[in-house]
Amino acid sequence: MTTQGGAEGIRRRPVPVHYDWHVAPAEEGDEQDDEDIVFEDEQPSKVQEYIGMLCDYVFWILLAYCAANLLLWICERLGLISPQFEEWMPARWWHSSPHNLQKELFANATAGAGTSAQFEGLKKWIESGPGGWVSPKLAVMDYLSERGRYERRLEVKEQVDQDEVLVRLPLSHVLSSDFCQQDLTDTTIRQVVEAKKKSSESVDISPWTWITLYMIAHSRKAASGSSSAVSWRFDSLLKAEYVDAALSYIPIFWDDDNLHWLNGTDLLNIHVLDVHAAIETEYHKLTYLVPTIQDTIPVIDFKKWAMVVMSRGETVDLPDRENKSRTVPQLAIMPLIDLVDHHLPMPETPVLTYDDLQHYQERGSHTNISYNAALAAVVLKAKKTMDSNSAVTVGYGVRSNADYLLYHGFTMPREWSDLTLCTQYSMIELPLPEDMPSWKSRFLAHPYRFAVPACPNQKATPHVIAGAARFLVATEEDVISFEERAQKDPDLTGGVAVSRDEKFLSHGAREALANVCDIATQPPLCRAPLSLESERQAWALIKSRTIARVAAHLNSVEEDERVLKEDDAKNNLSVNQRHAVIARREEKMALQRWCSIAVFISGLLEGPGAEQELTMERLPESEKLENDEPRARPRYWKR
């Protein structure tokens, strides 16, 4: 029998090399050296065949996987393709016809005395508490505001004098986080409290989550007519249909057509997604602790009521849960008081500094909300005389239109943006360096975003983004050299003495970094310029990223102004569309204002006398600073 050397599936025993041989069966008594013996081919077993096939498959699959990854890496490096990641998509809801809902609600409210009856029920509930009282001068009115938007607002029927009390809301009727999580009458809240205690992991529940759970539970009881909901009157003014109508003006509940008007903005690409993520993160915490919540509270219901809490909640000083003798700021829903609308008069002159901002906010609000320990109640008091039939309002603070829109569903007029622009901030993202040394990469997990002031001043500086940029562009030589200079001149580090711990073999950037930069922050911040060249590179990075962000906006400020002027004349935009244009216009203006600052500083550091601009100066201790603003700062910040 002739043996075919290439036959598949045949396993052969080793044989001596012969080029002229044949197989012959052995005969008895035939003695031959082992090295001259040739055995017949041995057929492998089925198990051996399957193992061999499996190994072949694994080998070729691994080889193909490695080749595919190598090809992807090469294409990414050449810029032919971009890396693809699985995108997170938030759970969304929007009303199919919000405008018709607004008209229907207004028609129903004005057809009878429904709102008045609900208000009277709410008054009785408040006054049933210890020390509770509602002024007879107050009334809740239905009206249509901008372009048919249904609103309810608190008004005074008669003139109100300065410092006159309008509402005393007992502490037992204030829906704070502490109050809501102590309500063990609801099964869900009780289960979450017990699961949190038993959990082997520390699960932090946000204060607004407890209030959200309370409102969901008791609004459902009130809707079903449960006897356990006798003490619940908040939902008498906040019916489900009214919630849907109010939320239809908040961007996380907009449909795609309305969101299209925010394309290219940080409001859509960052802030709206951040709110979605924050709410869904809290929801997943709850379902982790109590899995049955997923069946009883859909994520959309949770998201709706969470936004109700965020939009109507107010931070007020309330008694501390651990120490009742002191008060701490707490988020709370205050029934009836939460109907107070936002109002601040249009500034007469531009608000430029932090001091201007504080002064304007203090004198602009018509009412004041505070906790009175002697009365054990939250008190709503008039700060100035109010005429009859005027709205009861309070200032929500000077904030960006993006913030007003995101959390409250309204914007201020575009003239407001022009006068308060210097109080606004923009977001700039700094990417990570491509080739980072190990002493730097261990501190950087991902790219970072930074808030930068539109108009930097003594109390609002770009110290965070500047410190991060210094760290990102710093070289080992920059770090070691600055440490050596700081040892001789402590003024470089704001007067902090630098002690160098000499190692036996070497003292490199890893060891010097703790003396040069603040490595306790994320990302690490170098508070002082490391060198002139390093500072130039840091601001060149900031400038390039700012210019790139400006270019990412889809249309110009001039185009937005044209759209708004046309809408003023023709009234052709919906409420949400107009709000979107106002918010995106303001975002562009603030970013362009910051861009001019970044370009100016970068050019200043390239000019003559740049070395002197890096001289560190220290503000006097009498100067009050906030937000971790550094007292020691380079001279060029004055410009």
Side-chain angles (χ1 to χ4, degrees), residues 417-447:
S417 301
D418 301 333
L419 293 170
T420 63
L421 185 65
C422 282
T423 67
Q424 312 301 334
Y425 284 77
S426 298
M427 300 298 293
I428 300 297
E429 181 176 293
L430 297 183
L432 301 183
E434 291 187 1
D435 300 317
M436 289 187 292
S438 59
W439 61 268
K440 185 184 294 187
S441 62
R442 66 193 185 106
F443 294 104
L444 302 173
H446 51 74

Side-chain angles (χ1 to χ4, degrees), residues 87 155 437:
E87 293 188 4
E155 292 184 359

